[in-house]
Amino acid sequence: LLSSKRVPHFSVKGKEKYLLPLGDVHIGNPNCNKGTLQEAVDWAKEKDAWILCMGDLIECALKNSPGKSFFEQTSTPQDQIEEIIEILKPVEGQIIGIIDGNHEKRAANQTGIRPSWVISQALRAPYSGVGGLFRLVVGGRWFSIYAKHGSSGAATVAGKMSAIQKLAAICPGAHLYLMGHVHHLFYYQTTRVEYDGRSKYENLCPVHHCITGHFLDYGGGYADEGNYTPGTSGYP
């Protein structure tokens, strides 16, 4: 092996468990819809859902950030860190990973301070860096997730789909692929053939692909297509 990394492992005895990918919140952005964010957190608390933070939890605009974001953000990066910690504190035991987004990487690259790590320590949640594989066991059955914040600049749905398909090329064999960054809420399913070494049969296995949405209110709600309903970005 050229390199190795321990895969986070989480299990639950029940037959069903919800997962809420939560990213592109952009606390500190003047368009951040905090009411919708609170609805999502409340839903996760009620359902005892696992939460995977997909990056860009905070705006974290610096003086050399693109555009006018440094002057338009409604609070300092420090205040943004403290606010997202306060919002997520009621579900801290449900967070299975906190992934870096490109907005958090701004601070990491320019100051050496990693906001996502600071947030993870305050919430006693795993810091997952740029993301990667996660292994979940529900009712004795295991599932693998490959999650990255993403880096696509695509504006079309087809372009965004292509970006998440690249994750499957990087990590073949996962059951669920998650990507944020592109500010869209989209889900589709494919299938692949898997060999069952016990039964010696081949099985058709569903493969799920999800672009995990955002919390910026551009006048149309949570996603480009309409208003957010708590739980729609989470899949059991």
Side-chain angles (χ1 to χ4, degrees), residues 39-54:
E39 289 179 13
V41 172
D42 290 345
W43 176 87
K45 181 69 174 178
E46 177 187 352
K47 299 293 185 179
D48 191 30
W50 279 325
I51 300 171
L52 181 55
C53 294
M54 295 293 300

Side-chain angles (χ1 to χ4, degrees), residues 33-222:
N33 191 327
K34 296 179 185 178
T36 304
L37 171 62
Q38 191 61 57
E39 289 179 13
V41 172
D42 290 345
W43 176 87
K45 181 69 174 178
E46 177 187 352
K47 299 293 185 179
D48 191 30
W50 279 325
I51 300 171
L52 181 55
C53 294
M54 295 293 300
D56 284 2
L57 295 179
I58 60 175
E59 184 68 8
C60 198
L62 307 177
K63 286 186 177 181
N64 60 349
S65 295
K68 299 182 290 184
S69 58
F70 175 74
F71 303 99
E72 292 178 343
Q73 62 183 343
T74 58
S75 57
T76 67
Q78 178 63 38
D79 290 337
Q80 295 165 23
I81 290 172
E82 293 175 4
E83 184 171 3
I84 194 65
I85 289 171
E86 182 179 359
I87 292 171
L88 294 177
K89 197 70 175 176
V91 291
E92 65 175 339
Q94 300 167 225
I95 301 173
I96 64 173
I98 296 180
I99 293 173
D100 281 323
N102 57 296
H103 281 243
E104 288 91 3
K105 286 182 181 178
R106 292 171 174 173
N109 291 339
Q110 296 181 40
T111 71
I113 298 171
R114 295 173 292 171
S116 296
W117 182 87
V118 174
I119 294 168
S120 73
Q121 296 303 294
L123 295 173
R124 295 183 295 179
Y127 170 61
S128 302
V130 296
L133 272 172
F134 298 81
R135 190 174 190 267
L136 309 181
V137 180
V138 181
R141 298 179 59 194
W142 72 273
F143 305 88
S144 60
I145 298 173
Y146 191 70
K148 295 273 189 176
H149 178 70
S151 58
S152 172
T156 65
V157 173
K160 295 172 183 181
M161 288 174 59
S162 176
I164 195 171
Q165 287 169 354
K166 291 178 181 179
L167 298 185
I170 294 171
C171 181
H175 298 96
L176 171 62
Y177 295 92
L178 298 175
M179 188 188 82
H181 183 66
V182 295
H183 293 187
H184 199 92
L185 181 62
F186 189 79
Y187 165 79
Y188 69 98
Q189 178 179 315
T190 59
T191 58
R192 67 164 175 265
V193 176
E194 286 190 346
Y195 173 70
D196 188 332
R198 292 182 178 179
S199 67
K200 311 301 181 185
Y201 281 90
E202 63 179 35
N203 297 318
L204 276 179
C205 174
V207 182
H208 308 277
H209 309 257
C210 182
I211 298 173
T212 57
H214 64 91
F215 287 87
L216 292 174
D217 188 357
Y218 297 120
Y222 175 77

